[in-house]
Amino acid sequence: MSGLLDGRVALVTGASRGIGAAVVRRLAAEGAEVVAIARTQGALEELDDQVRAAGGKPLVLVPEDLRNTDVINKVAAATFQRWGRLDILVGNAGAIGGGLTPVAQHAPDDWEEAFAVNLTANWRLIRACDPLLRMAEAGRAVFTTSGVVQGIHPYWGAYAASKAALETMVKTWAAEVVNTTALRINLIDPGVVATRMRAIAFPGEDPTKLPQPDDVAAAFLPLCLPGCRQHGEVIRI
């Protein structure tokens, strides 16, 4: 790799597996110091081993649930204490809300989980990290969205509604800062990818015939670079 992110500090959520883990590996391979947040400590430790074996800097591991309202504020405070800024924010954590279910039959806990992870946790990230990103020379933020927000997809109600709300919120944030900061804020729709979430939605599908997380991680990199000029856009792969 070319060290495009040497000296940069990145925070990635949903980092223990799938697209999040692939993005962490890619950013670390380019020289970034990465704060990796996910619920599963063992998977985070395995990811750290992979990054170190590939020559990347050791990860800062945060094995926490983003629905815990104190976590994000504590991570932001610790990031400021250690680095005084945040260069890259990747909001990737997601929840499918119990799987594919008719809107009228969603369990309340599943509905609330989808919105808590896909929308509210990302709002908390924005609220906590906006000052840190402004302290960076070229703050960059990227959020993972989905193609289900386009058109109407039966049984995807909770996931589609929460991701549609995410897109609106992120685009609004981008519009609010466009004339006053150097921030560049965008969303990525990675399309169909062999992830755990995809397996929940389509349990009979052969994941070996689908694009893999590492195949789409490269699309995140240009949006994380200091030279990125895209802003307030949805990049659909």
Side-chain angles (χ1 to χ4, degrees):
M1 296 296 177
S2 55
L4 293 173
L5 297 175
D6 281 344
R8 304 279 167 176
V9 180
L11 187 157
V12 181
T13 68
S16 63
R17 60 171 63 91
I19 294 172
V23 170
V24 169
R25 288 192 292 267
R26 188 58 188 263
L27 299 183
E30 294 291 352
E33 295 188 73
V34 184
V35 179
I37 305 178
R39 287 179 290 182
T40 309
Q41 182 166 346
L44 284 174
E45 291 173 350
E46 182 178 347
L47 178 62
D48 185 44
D49 290 341
Q50 294 169 1
V51 167
R52 291 173 187 243
K57 297 179 177 69
L59 303 178
V60 176
L61 305 181
V62 184
E64 295 281 359
D65 190 329
L66 290 175
R67 290 174 295 178
N68 181 339
T69 57
D70 292 332
V71 167
I72 293 172
N73 287 338
K74 289 179 179 178
V75 170
T79 300
F80 175 74
Q81 289 295 324
R82 181 165 178 175
W83 291 288
R85 72 186 193 286
L86 179 66
D87 298 290
I88 300 162
L89 170 64
V90 179
N92 171 75
I96 199 170
L100 303 189
T101 309
V103 169
Q105 297 176 22
H106 262 298
D109 287 348
D110 291 336
W111 183 273
E112 290 168 6
E113 179 190 24
F115 276 84
V117 176
N118 300 338
L119 180 64
T120 303
N122 282 310
W123 167 70
R124 291 187 179 279
L125 279 171
I126 291 170
R127 186 172 183 271
C129 294
D130 177 273
L132 295 173
L133 290 165
R134 291 172 184 255
M135 293 173 187
E137 177 186 2
R140 301 290 179 257
V142 186
F143 295 85
T144 304
T145 184
S146 171
V148 298
V149 305
Q150 298 182 299
I152 302 300
H153 300 270
Y155 310 110
W156 286 87
Y159 186 73
S162 58
K163 286 293 188 178
L166 172 68
E167 285 198 10
T168 297
M169 178 179 68
V170 171
K171 289 178 181 178
T172 301
W173 180 37
E176 290 167 349
V177 305
V178 64
N179 293 320
T180 58
T181 76
L183 301 187
R184 295 291 180 268
I185 300 162
N186 295 285
L187 300 110
I188 283 187
D189 166 15
V192 175
V193 184
T195 63
R196 179 175 174 272
M197 190 179 299
R198 178 78 185 183
I200 292 172
F202 299 98
E205 197 171 52
D206 183 355
T208 65
K209 296 182 179 180
L210 302 178
Q212 300 300 305
D214 285 316
D215 297 332
V216 302
F220 284 74
L221 181 60
L223 301 178
C224 297
L225 297 177
C228 173
R229 291 293 174 264
Q230 290 172 281
H231 185 68
E233 297 183 25
V234 180
I235 291 83
R236 302 198 185 273
I237 301 175

